[in-house]
Amino acid sequence: MYEFNYQRASSVADAAKKLGTGEDARLLAGGQTLIAAMKLRLANPTDLIDLSGIAELRGIKADKDGITVGAITTHAEVAASKDIQQHIPALADLAESIGDPMVRNMGTIGGSIANNDPAADYPAALVGLGATVKTNQRQITADDFFTGMFMTALEPGEIIESIHFPKPKRAAYMKFSNPASRYAIVGTFVADTGNGVRVAVTGAGACVFRVLQMEKTLSAKFAPDAVANIDVAADDLNADMHASAEYRAHLVSVMAKRAVEKAVAG
Amino acid sequence: MSVRLSMTVNGKPVNADVAPRTLLVDFLRDEMRLTGTHIGCDTAQCGACTIHIDGRAVKSCNMLAVQAEGSNITTIEGIAAPEDNMHPMQTAFREHHGLQCGYCTPGMVMGAIDLVQRHPDPDEAQIREGLEGNLCRCTGYHNIVKAVRAGATAMKSR
Ligand SMILES: Cc1cc2nc3c(=O)[nH]c(=O)nc-3n(C[C@H](O)[C@H](O)[C@H](O)COP(=O)(O)OP(=O)(O)OC[C@H]3O[C@@H](n4cnc5c(N)ncnc54)[C@H](O)[C@@H]3O)c2cc1C
Ligand code: FES
Ligand code: FES
């Protein structure tokens, strides 16, 4: 990788200030995506601002209507959290399914959603649960946050501080994984929020999306057979060496059905 | 630009000035001459470079040395108790033929110890799942699973 300047930030305000000084400064969280991209010279920042020492960005807090996860909380910490296992077990399961133990020990929720890889798992949880992203500037709903392939609503200089997940009545995530990387070929997150059902799909398209027709039938009747016959159009879905668009479209329904089965079983 | 780095490696304090782009695995191998940590892929896929930072397994090829500031690092050279030649997990790999060429073995052992710390009595599925990030081109994994199970038992009576 090319040379760059490295600085540790002591607070969010300090990180924002340092981010403004470099010509092409980037935030560093777990580095599981960014370091790999820099080694391949796909990313060539002039400055890295390391967030890992900022205590206010780490940790998991439960309140009466949900859970707040700090941006630099690792996938392993989310998976092992007693609060999350108790209140939103589907979120703990999802975190446990990311990559492998070593990736989960370094990779963070903020880094994952800022990167918005089309095959990443967390976008499905945020959109499926109707989460809210808190940055150093504003609050952004998950529906507005993920805007396209590797694209988000984040403005230059904006830093994710935490994510708030409302507690669902029941929810589950089912993923058909790439056998090597464990990224989602298709992952479907289904949540019965108590205020309607949400179905979010990752891996299948350029960016996480909701399947409104499934949400409608599941809101009327929360049972696996309610989604089994709903086909998703293959037109805009991803096709690559791992799976064709038609196959991914099929997997969306299969994963949705299995997720409902799991959510009902509890 | 170089950055001051202070950490503990295998129980010894280490202070160095490093270029920010130095990978942790290169620092350990080239600067500290701890060549037990291997580089198999250099792309975060194979786990040969697995070490422990503050007791958790990580891939040292996918992080910068400066990210380890203030941490406590253990490499394969540092896992045996001073009075022993080998850690019980290493002995289990030898006794159960959990290696052939040995290239993946340091990472496998570091991954296995992390696994046993989280699941003291892992079953076969947990072992295979837990070693998801460690690839072996030789053994077919069967004896590795046996070794990790035996190593887990031996670690309990340690
Ligand atoms: C072998 C391997 C397997 C993997 N498998 C999976 C998988 O199955 N599923 C999956 O979802 N992911 C997978 N990943 C990716 C992993 O989850 C990464 O941890 C994650 O995508 C990035 O998180 P990070 O903390 O490492 O971010 P970094 O790499 O440090 O940063 C990523 C991007 O986010 C930005 N950023 C970081 N923090 C913030 C913040 N607080 N505010 C604003 N921007 C920020 C950075 O500037 C950078 O652009 C895998 C990775 C590897 C190496
Ligand atoms: S060398 Fe680090 S994962 Fe392969
Ligand atoms: S023993 Fe040869 S790679 Fe595992």
Side-chain angles (χ1 to χ4, degrees):
Chain A
M1 72 182 83
Y2 291 114
E3 281 185 343
F4 55 86
N5 297 310
Y6 170 88
Q7 296 181 73
R8 297 183 184 106
S10 56
S11 65
V12 175
D14 183 42
K17 199 175 92 207
K18 291 185 161 121
L19 200 51
T21 54
E23 194 184 319
D24 178 16
R26 289 277 287 270
L27 300 170
L28 176 67
Q32 295 304 287
T33 296
L34 187 53
I35 302 295
M38 288 168 64
K39 283 161 76 173
L40 294 168
R41 297 185 175 176
L42 294 171
N44 303 302
T46 54
D47 296 78
L48 281 191
I49 318 300
D50 192 340
L51 300 176
S52 64
I54 307 179
E56 61 196 271
L57 292 182
R58 188 180 296 280
I60 296 164
K61 274 199 244 27
D63 57 47
K64 63 178 190 323
D65 48 27
I67 305 254
T68 303
V69 182
I72 63 168
T73 308
T74 63
H75 310 332
E77 286 163 346
V78 170
S81 159
K82 292 279 176 283
D83 280 332
I84 296 180
Q85 286 170 359
Q86 188 190 336
H87 296 297
I88 320 181
L91 183 59
D93 289 351
L94 176 144
E96 180 73 19
S97 81
I98 296 174
D100 56 54
M102 291 83 98
V103 169
R104 295 196 290 273
N105 279 335
M106 285 298 286
T108 70
I109 188 168
S112 175
I113 64 169
N115 191 50
N116 194 18
D117 188 303
D121 294 297
Y122 270 126
L126 269 75
V127 173
L129 290 164
T132 306
V133 179
K134 181 174 182 293
T135 74
N136 58 338
Q137 296 169 16
R138 57 188 166 142
Q139 312 247 6
I140 312 170
T141 63
D143 286 330
D144 292 335
F145 183 84
F146 301 103
T147 54
M149 189 185 276
F150 293 109
M151 279 177 13
T152 67
L154 291 173
E155 298 287 342
E158 197 166 4
I159 300 172
I160 302 166
E161 293 186 346
S162 64
I163 298 99
H164 182 265
F165 294 94
K167 195 173 138 183
K169 257 172 53 190
R170 49 193 170 171
Y173 178 63
M174 275 292 161
K175 157 159 83 156
F176 193 85
S177 307
N178 177 315
S181 71
R182 298 286 153 176
Y183 272 106
I185 289 179
V186 169
T188 306
F189 198 104
V190 176
D192 179 1
T193 64
N195 187 9
V197 174
R198 296 172 68 98
V199 177
V201 177
T202 190
C207 178
V208 60
F209 62 87
R210 286 168 65 186
V211 188
L212 300 181
Q213 209 194 337
M214 287 185 181
E215 294 184 357
K216 213 168 111 199
T217 55
L218 285 170
S219 295
K221 179 181 172 228
F222 196 77
D225 58 6
V227 286
N229 296 319
I230 298 176
D231 294 323
V232 173
D235 303 349
D236 297 324
L237 299 191
N238 302 334
D240 54 28
M241 64 189 281
H242 306 298
S244 65
E246 291 73 22
Y247 185 46
R248 280 190 163 86
H250 178 68
L251 283 175
V252 172
S253 302
V254 175
M255 292 301 126
K257 180 167 160 268
R258 289 187 192 165
V260 176
E261 274 166 12
K262 192 168 176 199
V264 169
Chain B
M1 177 192 190
S2 78
V3 175
R4 189 81 188 144
L5 173 64
S6 307
M7 56 190 183
T8 306
V9 178
N10 297 335
K12 293 192 196 75
V14 173
N15 294 292
D17 290 313
V18 294
R21 65 174 165 175
T22 310
L23 296 173
L24 181 58
V25 69
D26 292 329
F27 181 81
L28 294 170
R29 288 177 54 87
D30 300 347
E31 303 295 324
M32 299 205 59
R33 309 305 295 165
L34 293 169
T35 52
T37 301
H38 291 168
I39 302 174
C41 66
D42 198 23
T43 53
Q45 318 278 324
C46 76
C49 64
T50 302
I51 59 158
H52 292 180
I53 296 196
D54 298 328
R56 297 163 302 129
V58 302
K59 293 172 181 171
S60 60
C61 78
N62 204 29
M63 68 181 284
L64 306 170
V66 289
Q67 284 179 280
E69 168 68 23
S71 67
N72 198 342
I73 292 185
T74 308
T75 68
I76 190 76
E77 290 91 345
I79 54 174
E83 64 279 12
D84 294 329
N85 269 334
M86 290 206 285
H87 184 280
M89 189 61 77
Q90 289 173 297
T91 308
F93 268 70
R94 191 185 63 182
E95 285 174 355
H96 293 269
H97 303 282
L99 63 147
Q100 287 178 22
C101 79
Y103 204 85
C104 70
T105 313
M108 284 285 176
V109 169
M110 298 310 282
I113 294 172
D114 176 88
L115 168 70
V116 173
Q117 279 162 358
R118 283 176 292 119
H119 305 285
D121 201 4
D123 60 22
E124 173 169 352
Q126 283 172 321
I127 294 171
R128 290 188 183 271
E129 184 71 32
L131 294 178
E132 172 63 41
N134 295 86
L135 303 183
C136 175
R137 301 296 304 268
C138 303
T139 62
Y141 300 100
H142 193 65
N143 286 353
I144 291 180
V145 174
K146 280 203 248 171
V148 174
R149 219 169 6 211
T153 309
M155 276 170 70
K156 262 192 245 170
S157 54
R158 195 186 183 194

